Amino acid sequence: MGIHFHPSLLINNSTYRGDWEVSAIAPAICAGFSDRPKFCEDFDIKPPSTPKTPKQEGVSGWVLFLIISILLAIIIAILVGYRIWVKRELQMDMQL
């Protein structure tokens, strides 16, 4: 029928599904120990390494805030300048 059943084993709060041989299960069991027992040394199983936190790349929040603030100030200055220019043009047209 094509249905395969593999019993599962809970190791270090993770479900292990696979071969029930010592060489297959031992790495999963030893991965949970910070002080490795002799059993793990016999199988040359290394303890888990602490993951390195990747260096954050990109723009920080303050730099992003500063860029947005500067762009907003430029847009406002352009709009105010345009408004002043349009007002002068209308006054000149009304004087003619």
Side-chain angles (χ1 to χ4, degrees):
M1 189 94 194
I3 298 173
H4 299 281
F5 175 74
H6 290 283
S8 61
L9 179 66
L10 189 65
I11 302 172
N12 299 327
N13 292 328
S14 297
T15 304
Y16 173 82
R17 289 187 176 97
D19 294 333
W20 281 66
E21 297 176 4
V22 174
S23 62
I25 297 175
I29 293 173
C30 292
F33 291 105
S34 58
D35 295 326
R36 297 182 344 184
K38 179 95 168 96
F39 171 81
C40 295
E41 293 171 4
D42 291 343
F43 285 94
D44 195 28
I45 300 167
K46 297 179 179 168
S49 62
T50 56
K52 296 180 181 178
T53 54
K55 183 179 178 183
Q56 290 183 353
E57 295 180 10
V59 181
S60 68
W62 285 107
V63 173
L64 186 63
F65 176 75
L66 183 65
I67 291 171
I68 291 173
S69 298
I70 290 172
L71 289 175
L72 189 59
I74 291 171
I75 291 171
I76 290 172
I78 291 172
L79 288 174
V80 168
Y82 178 73
R83 184 174 178 197
I84 292 170
W85 178 77
V86 168
K87 188 175 180 181
R88 283 185 190 161
E89 288 291 318
L90 285 174
Q91 285 177 353
M92 288 176 60
D93 285 345
M94 302 243 335
Q95 290 177 358
L96 294 174

